[in-house]
Amino acid sequence: MLGAGTGNRIHFTHLPRIVGRHVAFDLLFTGRAFSAEEAMTLHLVNRVIPEHQVLAEARALAQALAAKSRSAMTIGRAAFHRAVDSDYRRGVSYAVDTFCQVAATSGAREGIAAFVEQRRPRWPD
């Protein structure tokens, strides 16, 4: 499920840029789960690897990246991020502010309690 994922989480700052506004709205506000294949179709993941091959694929990727010049990779990565994320910091700052506002609500507390207690939430509003 998007938003409750592991590792690098995709949130409303990035998602519309990747999948478009309408799909992003659907995924964020319904919270629906989706398959790895759908994530691939939506360009949210680069590869879908069978579970028994994940470690071998990760090692192969790590070896390919490690074989590159460290300084060239560092400079190239910085240039890439500057080129594609010109307003990234502003977007992340806005996302943090919004998350803090939501986290302070009674609805957020109820949602967390319902999740922990494995029950449907009883929204206060």
Side-chain angles (χ1 to χ4, degrees):
M1 177 173 11
L2 198 65
T6 59
N8 293 329
R9 295 184 181 176
I10 298 176
H11 49 74
F12 64 86
T13 303
H14 307 290
L15 193 61
R17 295 179 189 174
I18 299 168
V19 301
R21 293 174 60 182
H22 299 290
V23 173
F25 189 90
D26 171 47
L27 295 175
L28 289 167
F29 288 94
T30 64
R32 71 177 177 84
F34 51 89
S35 68
E37 289 74 20
E38 184 177 358
M40 181 82 162
T41 300
L42 293 172
H43 303 287
L44 294 173
V45 296
N46 297 340
R47 302 176 184 127
V48 176
I49 307 296
E51 188 173 349
H52 68 280
Q53 294 177 356
V54 169
L55 187 56
E57 288 286 331
R59 285 186 174 139
L61 177 59
Q63 289 173 346
L65 295 175
K68 309 286 184 198
S69 160
R70 183 176 182 176
S71 59
M73 292 293 285
T74 301
I75 293 166
R77 182 178 184 273
F80 175 83
H81 284 292
R82 277 193 308 274
V84 299
D85 294 332
S86 60
D87 61 345
Y88 175 78
R89 290 178 194 257
R90 186 172 20 146
V92 169
S93 176
Y94 179 73
V96 168
D97 289 345
T98 302
F99 177 81
C100 290
Q101 289 175 352
V102 170
T105 67
S106 58
R109 289 188 294 277
E110 169 57 18
I112 292 168
F115 176 80
V116 169
E117 296 167 12
Q118 296 182 343
R119 62 172 172 80
R120 293 183 71 83
R122 294 181 294 272
W123 302 117
D125 53 0

